Amino acid sequence: MMRKCSPKLVKLLTRRDMMQHTLQVELTLLAAIDKSIFDVILLDLRMPGLNGILTCKEIIKRDPNTRIILMTAHADMDDALTAIRLGAWDIWRKPFELDGLIDHIEGVFSPNQPIMLSR
């Protein structure tokens, strides 16, 4: 069973007028990328039943302009470096301050751009 994205993160994005979509299944995520343009995708590196590295690779293959921010509670530097080599934009190690992540995103993108969350 997959856990839902942090309600606090969704609330912070909404409060800061950032459009967001929460998707929990890789196929749904990839189908959404085929139909829409997303500036940022927040992607957990390790998800039950899914491989964050392979998902990252597929996202970049479908839309190389999408910025992927990987989140991980695991200190696996090999996976982190692989993700960066594939084109991931950034990696945040859990736990982290959600406000800091949102500030990071706001520093690069307009607040009205769509943001996709995958968890």
Side-chain angles (χ1 to χ4, degrees):
M1 178 166 81
M2 298 189 74
R3 293 181 357 203
K4 292 187 177 185
C5 183
S6 162
K8 184 177 178 185
L9 179 57
V10 172
K11 187 176 181 178
L12 282 171
L13 289 169
T14 302
R15 189 178 318 144
R16 295 203 188 183
D17 294 324
M18 292 181 169
M19 293 172 53
Q20 49 83 21
H21 303 275
T22 303
L23 303 173
Q24 297 179 20
V25 179
E26 182 179 29
L27 295 176
T28 304
L29 168 66
L30 298 176
I33 291 167
D34 289 338
K35 294 178 183 175
S36 302
I37 296 171
F38 296 93
D39 292 313
V40 178
I41 295 177
L42 304 176
L43 180 69
D44 206 319
L45 189 59
R46 294 193 184 174
M47 302 166 281
L50 298 177
N51 180 313
I53 297 293
L54 294 178
T55 303
C56 179
K57 185 176 182 177
E58 190 61 33
I59 291 167
I60 292 166
K61 184 172 107 179
R62 292 169 187 241
D63 185 358
N65 295 317
T66 298
R67 302 263 177 125
I68 299 170
I69 298 176
L70 288 169
M71 302 172 291
T72 184
H74 308 280
D76 188 342
M77 286 307 292
D78 289 337
D79 283 347
L81 292 173
T82 298
I84 294 295
R85 279 190 224 110
L86 288 171
W89 181 51
D90 205 353
I91 297 175
W92 283 62
R93 187 167 176 206
K94 297 176 192 176
F96 53 81
E97 291 294 322
L98 293 177
D99 285 318
L101 177 63
I102 302 303
D103 290 343
H104 182 63
I105 295 168
E106 281 184 329
V108 178
F109 296 101
S110 158
N112 291 320
Q113 297 299 320
I115 294 176
M116 182 182 293
L117 308 174
S118 177
R119 176 85 170 102

